[in-house]
Amino acid sequence: MSNLKDELLRLLRENESFRMEVLRMLGIMDVNVALSQLTDSVNKLTKSIEDLREEVRKLWEENHRIWEEISKLREENRKIWEEIQKMREDIRELREENQKMWEEMGKLREENQKIWEEIRRLREENQKIWEEIRKLREEVNKLWEENHKIWEEIRKIWEEIHGLRKSHEDLIRIVKGVLKDLGGLSRTVGKLVEQDIRHYLPAWIRETYGITVDRVRRLKVNNIAEFDGYVETEDKILLMEIKTTLRTRDIKDMTEKIEKYRAQAPSGKTIIPMIIYTIEGEGPEKLINTAKLHGIMLIKHYGEYEFELINQ
């Protein structure tokens, strides 16, 4: 029995055909085939599952991308709707603008019609102007003829002027001599007027200020200022200029002399500057305003004891 077992084991190990026959008889061969087929099926299923898992993963990724794309599309769609809304608003504005343009075109057509009517009137006016120009040319021709005659007259006048120039030069020499004589006469009149005013001025001072003086004497201050009249009391000093004809420059000169005098005037006394005159050499208003500006009294002498304070 032991030998048989050993022999069988040997045959199973060494004899391939015997071993396969035994397996076939025992049904093990079919089991191996089935197992092999089952293993192949399991392997195929496993691979299919792996493939399915990969496919599912890809599907999830694709699904995620799709949702992202959907989100982008929604955002894009929102922007498109906003753009559409803007476009609708622009279209509405364009329609309104278009309506205004049509209205403006209507106005322009009316204006254009008026312009054409104005052009027609201008053409008619232009025609009239050309007719006037023709008439003016005729008048100009007449004027040229008249001008020629005038030049002839001018030539004759120049000849007369040439003769008059000699007479004019003679007259100038005569006038210069007369003016020289008048200058001396003017100075003489000025002195006479000053003497007349000086004679009656003390009475006016006595009446106006209550100061009794026999005469109005001159004042010369250290070669820096000279006044035609000077009266001094305990509390005031009257400084006077006497002019035949008063001008604004006389007022300004008086102001400058007063300023120079103030630097050496006695302290504590009121200085009252005044100009006594007989004739205004400029407009009275200008003289009065200038005197007020510089604080100078203007007294006009009408004759004898008649004096008048002008700028009260």
Side-chain angles (χ1 to χ4, degrees), residues 53-290:
R53 284 177 177 172
E54 181 65 20
E55 189 68 24
V56 168
R57 185 184 63 77
K58 291 179 180 180
L59 285 172
W60 276 109
E61 291 178 355
E62 185 67 22
N63 189 40
H64 181 68
R65 285 195 296 271
I66 288 170
W67 277 109
E68 289 180 351
E69 189 67 25
I70 288 170
S71 178
K72 291 178 181 178
L73 287 171
R74 284 176 177 171
E75 180 64 21
E76 189 68 25
N77 191 37
R78 184 186 63 79
K79 292 179 180 179
I80 289 170
W81 276 109
E82 290 178 356
E83 190 67 26
I84 289 171
Q85 184 64 26
K86 291 179 182 178
M87 290 176 67
R88 285 175 176 170
E89 183 66 22
D90 291 340
I91 289 170
R92 183 186 63 78
E93 292 177 357
L94 285 170
R95 284 176 177 168
E96 292 177 356
E97 187 67 24
N98 191 34
Q99 180 64 27
K100 292 178 182 178
M101 290 176 68
W102 278 108
E103 293 174 357
E104 190 66 25
M105 283 179 66
K107 293 178 182 178
L108 287 172
R109 283 173 179 168
E110 293 176 359
E111 189 68 23
N112 194 33
Q113 182 64 27
K114 293 178 182 178
I115 289 170
W116 278 110
E117 292 176 358
E118 187 65 24
I119 288 171
R120 180 182 57 78
R121 286 195 294 269
L122 287 172
R123 283 174 176 169
E124 294 174 356
E125 189 68 25
N126 193 34
Q127 183 63 30
K128 293 178 182 178
I129 290 170
W130 277 110
E131 292 176 0
E132 289 292 328
I133 289 172
R134 181 182 58 78
K135 293 178 182 178
L136 286 171
R137 282 176 177 169
E138 294 175 356
E139 291 293 329
V140 167
N141 290 332
K142 293 178 182 179
L143 287 172
W144 275 111
E145 294 175 359
E146 189 69 25
N147 192 38
H148 180 71
K149 294 178 182 178
I150 290 170
W151 276 109
E152 288 293 326
E153 291 294 328
I154 289 172
R155 183 181 60 78
K156 294 177 182 179
I157 290 170
W158 275 111
E159 291 175 356
E160 293 178 2
I161 288 172
H162 182 70
L164 289 171
R165 278 180 178 171
K166 188 175 182 305
S167 299
H168 181 257
E169 291 173 357
D170 295 337
L171 284 172
I172 288 175
R173 286 193 294 270
I174 294 170
V175 168
K176 285 182 178 179
V178 172
L179 289 174
K180 184 177 180 181
D181 295 338
L182 285 174
L185 180 61
S186 176
R187 287 190 294 273
T188 301
V189 170
K191 289 180 180 179
L192 290 173
V193 169
E194 182 179 345
Q195 289 176 1
D196 184 60
I197 291 174
R198 283 179 175 279
H199 177 74
Y200 296 104
L201 192 56
W204 179 82
I205 293 173
R206 182 171 57 254
E207 180 182 350
T208 304
Y209 294 100
I211 302 172
T212 301
V213 292
D214 295 331
R215 64 184 181 87
V216 176
R217 61 188 179 88
R218 296 179 182 276
L219 174 66
K220 190 172 184 180
V221 184
N222 297 331
N223 296 322
I224 62 173
E226 184 174 352
F227 298 94
D228 295 333
Y230 169 79
V231 175
E232 182 176 357
T233 65
E234 293 180 356
D235 59 347
K236 61 176 67 70
I237 297 174
L238 308 182
L239 296 176
M240 291 163 274
E241 280 290 302
I242 300 173
K243 298 291 181 183
T244 303
T245 303
L246 178 63
R247 296 178 176 84
T248 53
R249 69 169 179 267
D250 298 324
I251 299 172
K252 293 178 181 178
D253 291 342
M254 179 67 167
T255 303
E256 292 178 1
K257 290 196 291 185
I258 292 295
E259 292 301 321
K260 292 177 181 178
Y261 176 76
R262 288 184 189 277
Q264 302 183 20
S267 60
K269 294 188 179 184
T270 302
I271 297 174
I272 304 174
M274 61 184 69
I275 299 176
I276 301 94
Y277 69 97
T278 57
I279 302 171
E280 289 91 352
E282 299 176 14
E285 185 176 355
K286 183 179 180 182
L287 294 171
I288 291 170
N289 290 335
T290 304

